[in-house]
Amino acid sequence: MPYEHIFFDLDHTLWDLETNSRETLTELFIEFKLSESGINSPHDFIKEYLHINDRMWVEYRKGLIDKNTLRNSRFHEAFQLFGINNILLAEKFGNEYVKRGPLKTNLFPHTIEVLQYLEQKYKLHIITNGFEEVQHLKMKHSRIDKYFLNIITSEAAGYKKPDIRIFQYAIKKANATLANSLMIGDNLEADIAGAREAGLHQLFFNPQKEKHSQQITFEINNLNQLFYIL
């Protein structure tokens, strides 16, 4: 395929959000002494928090809640599940999480060598629904920002994936065309269906080997497979 521009999602595709989140939450669980508040273990807390966070991100992507609601409510809801109804504690915990989490540097296996390879052949860009200030920090501290010409966030674009307008915005900003561009991401709805509706070829990064019935241009379960496709 005569691609010139490769657009990557960031979280769950290059930057290992789950690992980085678990590390941060475990540290904060200990520092905030949550075991003294009746939560048995970081594992118990993280499991419930991740369910809530995933649901709220879907709601945010659909425009049902705003950024502040997402950030301020997810920890309060998680604490309430364990009988802790303390808005101030949830706010402090959440603020520290947002401050510390983006400084974590765990990437998916082969991220660096794949980016080093791809940057020699293509123009690389990011399209992410993550928050503007947070995503730039993640990329800077994990030392992958240098590989990308454009870091396009939904906040900057004014639209969230899978809205085709964020892909149109990205194509225009990158001075690319639909025909010479490929979108790589882990989310079947936001990244893959969104890109397909916008007219881009898509590559589904599926490390969990999730079953699906979607028609996709390419699919991989390890980033090193990009060496053979691109």
Side-chain angles (χ1 to χ4, degrees), residues 153-160 163 165-166 169:
T153 68
S154 57
E155 285 189 304
Y159 308 102
K160 307 179 192 76
D163 192 316
R165 289 172 291 184
I166 191 173
Y169 175 94

Side-chain angles (χ1 to χ4, degrees), residues 171-219:
I171 291 289
K172 183 175 181 180
K173 188 170 179 63
N175 197 26
T177 68
L178 293 173
N180 70 7
S181 299
L182 175 70
M183 177 68 201
I184 299 176
D186 72 289
N187 190 292
L188 279 172
E189 180 185 3
D191 300 315
I192 304 307
R196 184 171 57 244
E197 287 298 311
L200 283 83
H201 282 184
Q202 329 88 45
L203 190 150
F204 179 37
F205 176 51
N206 187 12
Q208 304 301 322
K209 300 183 179 179
E210 174 186 348
K211 302 283 188 191
H212 65 87
S213 58
Q214 291 202 30
Q215 295 297 311
I216 302 170
T217 317
F218 304 104
E219 180 171 341

Side-chain angles (χ1 to χ4, degrees), residues 40-75:
N40 289 332
S41 69
H43 173 78
D44 292 344
F45 175 71
I46 291 170
K47 180 181 177 182
E48 297 299 338
Y49 163 76
L50 289 177
H51 286 311
I52 293 167
N53 188 58
D54 288 346
R55 170 176 55 79
M56 286 195 166
W57 269 102
V58 171
E59 292 171 356
Y60 173 75
R61 192 167 67 229
K62 292 180 177 179
L64 301 175
I65 60 174
D66 61 16
K67 175 180 179 178
N68 288 334
T69 301
L70 170 60
R71 282 190 166 177
N72 294 335
S73 298
R74 54 188 176 175
F75 288 108

